[in-house]
Amino acid sequence: MSDGRTTAQKLIALIERDGAIPLGDYMAIANSDYYASRVPIGAGGDFITAPEISQMFGELVGLWLTDLWSRAGSPADAHYVELGPGRGTLAVDALRAMAQFGFAPSVHLVENSPTLRAEQQRRLTEACWHEDISTLPETGPLLIVANEFFDALPVQQLVRQNGSWHRQMVVRDRNRFRLTVGEEAVAGGAPPLLPDGSIFEYSPASRSIMGDLSARLAAQGGVLLVIDYGHARPGTGSTLQAVKNQLPVSPFDDPGNADLTVHVNFYDLGSIAHKHLLSVHGPVEQGQWLTSLGIGARAQALIRTEPQRQQEVEAALHRLTHVDEMGRLFRVMAATPLGWPEPEGFVY
Ligand code: SAH
């Protein structure tokens, strides 16, 4: 949008030049413009995330990191790293909880939206910002948090047709964007024996980030905490969806003005971590993880000190942990390198 064209105009120009474009390219352009042009998260935005529901979420993440760090011998050169920090709420709450235990790591935020970066800068003054993970510090353990980050990264899809795999593409047709199946068959990358019509979805961007971070953790120490909605087992089918004003819309109606997301493939991310000899913990359900870390006691303590907030705190607790709310849909996975202690909350 920075060049004055709308997202739709950019996509149309690309399609006029190249013909159909791969679904992942469509998603990458749409989401990059979407996050660059607004602060979408919060009560008045398109969607709400766990840290925006309650301070308890970020505080527990901070205490979880502090516990792991102290059992790792309290390395003085550890860094707090967050991927896609949104409004910065999780970082603010986590760092405040960590400081109460004397843990004040340097702060590195990976954010490619100038708008959200400015929002984060208003709330976190002592931080370094990074456009991508390549410039993160190369020495010292990395304590990396990614809440609702991987679901925003673009996916590609392969569609099974006449016994071979074809790329899922996007075209412009009668003034609308729509999916079409690429003519050329592509070799490799997907399981061979699936029936016609099957869709195999994968995220090259997520795989690449997971691979690079796993290598960093193996070399430098630390942990990666991933919290997101997604599946624990490999599967087929499209998980692409779009949200606008907290309601589902078609991903093809208004690119750049709706949040395009996918289900995170935890199985895929875990396999990549394993290749780098990391231990993978979970994924477990968010409700169970938060409960085993003591979110119930944290809620009671908040209510004792501020009784007027009882209803609000109880509603937030329900929303974060109940199986019909975020408790089951969201999952938590952690990866640690050899020599790092077992993180809390994954055995129940
Ligand atoms: N973690 C926050 C925000 C989630 S929204 C929360 O829980 O509230 C997704 C975040 O990831 C936004 O900050 C968005 O700008 C950022 N983001 C999306 N794609 C990115 C990319 N490729 N590189 C860096 N940041 C990205």
Side-chain angles (χ1 to χ4, degrees):
M1 230 168 262
S2 47
D3 62 3
R5 294 180 299 169
T6 65
T7 310
Q9 284 167 342
K10 276 189 215 173
L11 289 163
I12 290 167
L14 209 58
I15 290 170
E16 278 170 359
R17 194 192 71 189
D18 296 351
I21 57 170
L23 175 65
D25 298 11
Y26 174 90
M27 186 174 172
I29 292 168
N31 264 2
S32 159
D33 278 0
Y34 175 76
Y35 283 108
S37 60
R38 74 204 70 212
V39 177
I41 313 144
D46 287 330
F47 60 95
I48 301 178
T49 56
E52 301 295 334
I53 290 173
S54 169
Q55 69 190 79
M56 295 186 287
F57 186 82
E59 287 168 350
L60 283 172
V61 168
L63 294 176
W64 180 87
L65 287 172
T66 307
D67 165 67
L68 189 74
W69 167 78
S70 76
R71 285 188 290 122
S74 308
D77 53 352
H79 310 280
Y80 175 87
V81 177
E82 198 178 322
L83 311 180
R87 302 178 62 218
T89 309
L90 197 167
V92 168
D93 292 335
L95 291 165
R96 186 184 58 246
M98 290 152 81
Q100 282 171 357
F101 289 85
F103 180 28
S106 70
V107 179
H108 295 266
L109 305 174
V110 180
E111 176 59 68
N112 69 354
S113 153
T115 309
L116 286 170
R117 191 185 279 214
E119 179 80 4
Q120 293 153 19
Q121 273 159 348
R122 295 196 309 134
R123 310 173 82 189
L124 291 143
T125 41
E126 304 282 300
C128 296
W129 275 266
H130 302 261
E131 187 69 21
D132 58 52
I133 59 168
S134 65
T135 51
L136 288 172
E138 284 174 8
T139 55
L142 304 174
L143 307 175
I144 311 166
V145 177
N147 186 62
E148 290 209 43
F149 170 73
F150 283 100
D151 69 77
L153 299 184
V155 289
Q156 301 286 10
Q157 290 178 352
L158 299 176
V159 185
R160 191 81 172 168
Q161 216 169 51
N162 302 322
S164 47
W165 289 106
H166 298 255
R167 208 171 281 289
Q168 186 85 279
M169 313 288 280
V170 178
V171 281
R172 184 85 176 162
D173 184 18
R174 283 181 234 132
N175 284 326
R176 292 179 69 88
F177 295 103
R178 71 163 171 82
L179 289 173
T180 186
V181 176
E183 278 170 25
E184 272 173 48
V186 291
L193 296 172
L194 286 171
D196 269 8
S198 301
I199 293 176
F200 179 77
E201 186 177 270
Y202 62 104
S203 174
S206 300
R207 284 177 172 176
S208 147
I209 290 174
M210 191 68 195
D212 289 354
L213 291 179
S214 297
R216 291 295 206 96
L217 289 175
Q220 293 173 232
V223 65
L224 168 62
L225 178 70
V226 180
I227 307 174
D228 225 311
Y229 41 91
H231 40 275
R233 296 200 180 82
T236 56
S238 172
T239 71
L240 178 66
Q241 54 190 15
V243 172
K244 198 169 152 182
N245 301 324
Q246 307 190 17
L247 290 172
V249 293
S250 159
F252 303 102
D253 274 356
D254 195 6
N257 291 311
D259 180 37
L260 301 191
T261 67
V262 290
H263 282 198
V264 171
N265 187 336
F266 283 99
Y267 178 83
D268 211 30
L269 296 184
S271 315
I272 294 167
H274 278 145
K275 282 192 195 123
H276 291 267
L277 303 183
L278 303 188
S279 303
V280 175
H281 316 274
V284 296
E285 293 172 6
Q286 172 173 299
Q288 286 166 328
W289 190 72
L290 292 172
T291 302
S292 76
L293 297 185
I295 193 169
R298 180 70 194 117
Q300 289 314 314
L302 268 179
I303 292 167
R304 263 198 310 281
T305 47
E306 296 177 78
Q308 73 282 7
R309 289 181 62 196
Q310 177 167 0
Q311 269 198 338
E312 170 218 317
V313 172
E314 282 173 356
L317 176 67
H318 182 81
R319 224 163 143 197
L320 291 173
T321 58
H322 197 272
V323 290
D324 294 332
E325 301 273 349
M326 297 177 83
R328 175 160 292 162
L329 180 65
F330 280 73
R331 292 168 197 270
V332 183
M333 190 181 94
T336 46
L338 282 171
W340 270 67
E342 184 83 12
E344 281 294 331
F346 294 96
V347 184
Y348 52 85

